Amino acid sequence: MTQTTPDPQQPASPDAHPEGHLEGHIEGHAGQLAVAVARAHGVETMFTLSGAHVFPMYDGAVKADPPMRLLDVRHEQTAAFAAEATGKLTRVPGLAVLTAGPGVTNGVSAIAQAQFAGSPMVVVGGRAPQNRWGSGSLQELDQPPIVASVSKLARTLPTAGDVLGGMHEAFSAAGSSHRGPVFVDVPMDEFFASASGSLPTVGAGRGEAPDTDAIDRIAALLAASERPVLVLGTDVWADRAEVAALRLVEEAGLPAITNGMGRGLVPGGHPLLVTKARGAALGGADLVVVVGTPLDFRLGYGVFGGKDGATPARVVHVADSAGQVSTHADLAASVSGDLTSVLDGLLAALERHDRPDRSAWVGGLQDTVRGATERDRALLGAEADPIHPARVYGELVPRLADDAVVIGDGGDFVSFAGKFVEPQRPGGWLDPGPYGCLGAGLGAAIAARIARPSAQVVLLLGDGAAGFSLMDVDTLVRHGLPVVMVMGNNSAWGLEKGPMQMLYGYDVAADLAPQTRYDEVVRALGGAGERVTDPRQIGPALDRAFASGVPYLVNVITDVDAAYPRATFGI
Ligand SMILES: Cc1ncc(C[n+]2csc(CCOP(=O)(O)OP(=O)(O)O)c2C)c(N)n1
Ligand SMILES: [Mg+2]
């Protein structure tokens, strides 16, 4: 089985400076300086919504040689979610430029999401002028304190002369382990002012070297384990450790579960991918090695097994940086640092041990995967009327190319996708991550279309989620960005309706207008779409959507009673 990885953007070399400047030296207004630093860090697109406070950024983009692409949207959340998704997809920090006050506050949810998911992004905010500060100028808001608790770094660059260094610091912090969002704002009077200085040198930058003794201890635990499971998460992709991860899985013969952007690290259908046997794997393991993802609610807070008096699994946490290692879980061992070094180091250390015969454990999990796959088949082919949401995936999955980007924005409808879509490559699955913010979808789709120009981009939308950002279909249309949107329209906030029924026996605030023609909304905005009520029409509608070359919404009317079977509410 071959593992090909999408070619990520590499940070530009330091000699990729705008022409017309002396090598390494640059002068201009603060917007030009900020754009030059962003470009030196590999940024190709600026996501924004207009406001005079940030005009210098636009002028900097327009006057750069070549100009930097400006992608203007209809809500700042979309700009910030697009920057977040760009960071996730390209592993180069995305750039959002938000005007002062409400522009910045509209971006806060996306910044928080990036902080939770470890997504590299830089948000440049406009800011009321310093020379009038305190006099009550328009949108005079001190923004860094608002953003500080949801970002790696949030600061004002007080003068034009601080912009070169401050922007370099911002991009460096956002793009190094543990990655995340960085916010800077520049007072308007200083944004228009000029300065000069040296463009920074941008290096490739890898994480810290891991402690080799810790790696040896983990290798000893793994070698002694009869029933190990490896969990591979978002940071394995973010830290560019995908090749090392698959090598460890295959050469050490370790059954693996993937989550977040880690989905696809072990391709769907691989004999050692046991995500479909998740319960049996995590419940029956004697050792769970979790790499590149926090031990949060998605992983039972780091407690595995231990039912009916059984001994819980020992847990090892491997993180890209020391601050990410769990402090709440009971760990048998841990290590942090550059994940390729850790995973390759583990494999090398394992070669010094005998490997126990684990064929019964692995074979049992593979049987469970086969059983689950068989059971899924019935749901995927469901002929029920109204349509069962699973049937949408029965039709979609066979139509996905290996390099497809699949984005989830919704509740139950997206949970079904998590169950049925097993990507063939890492870096092509975008879910909201542990922050779980509805409304990220259109921004992520815009980013994906730009980052992966020749790949299928599929946006899975709940009808509730769609309400947060569907107006940004206008952005797709204006910028000529075709995306296939597939909606599971159950006329409800399904993921809330079911649990409320379960807890109270009734529900309120959970119904949406019945069978709304969101496809007609998309058409009115200049895209295309259709409504589907017959399960046999889903496939042909998807074919039309993929062939259309325009933003296209397949509005599938689904059964509100076909709730996703879930064991926890994540709280
Ligand atoms: C911004 C935001 N508001 C509210 C929620 C709570 N929430 C989580 S899932 C969900 C329902 C989503 O409904 P829909 O998109 O229609 O998907 P469905 O569950 O019906 O498939 C809600 C309201 C959230 N996660 N994010
Ligand atoms: Mg819904």
Side-chain angles (χ1 to χ4, degrees), residues 463-464 488 490 492 494:
D463 54 323
N490 56 7

Side-chain angles (χ1 to χ4, degrees), residues 396 400 404-408 445 456-460 483-486 546:
L396 177 63
L400 292 178
V405 180
V406 180
I407 300 153
Q456 291 171 329
V457 175
V458 178
L459 169 58
L460 306 170
V483 165
V484 173
M485 291 166 274
V486 185
F546 282 119

Side-chain angles (χ1 to χ4, degrees), residues 120-253:
M121 72 186 286
V122 171
V123 177
V124 175
R127 183 180 173 90
Q130 192 57 37
N131 56 14
R132 280 200 186 281
W133 197 265
S135 319
S137 57
L138 175 72
Q139 298 162 344
E140 187 188 279
L141 178 71
D142 187 18
Q143 297 150 161
I146 293 172
V147 186
S149 67
V150 290
S151 56
K152 274 189 88 168
L153 182 69
R155 58 178 293 230
T156 297
L157 308 181
T159 72
D162 297 309
V163 167
L164 279 173
M167 286 293 287
H168 179 50
E169 178 192 42
F171 277 98
S172 304
S176 53
S177 308
H178 180 63
R179 296 161 185 83
V182 173
F183 176 82
V184 295
D185 61 11
V186 183
M188 192 175 181
D189 45 345
E190 291 295 325
F191 232 151
F192 282 82
S194 290
S196 64
S198 308
L199 258 181
T201 305
V202 179
R206 287 182 77 171
E208 289 189 5
D211 173 1
T212 49
D213 291 344
I215 289 177
D216 287 345
R217 281 195 295 279
I218 297 168
L221 285 167
L222 258 174
S225 162
E226 290 171 358
R227 301 183 308 284
V229 173
L230 193 60
V231 178
L232 300 167
T234 294
D235 295 334
V236 178
W237 163 255
D239 216 33
R240 302 175 188 269
E242 61 272 15
V243 174
L246 188 60
R247 189 161 46 221
L248 176 66
V249 167
E250 291 185 331
E251 294 191 16

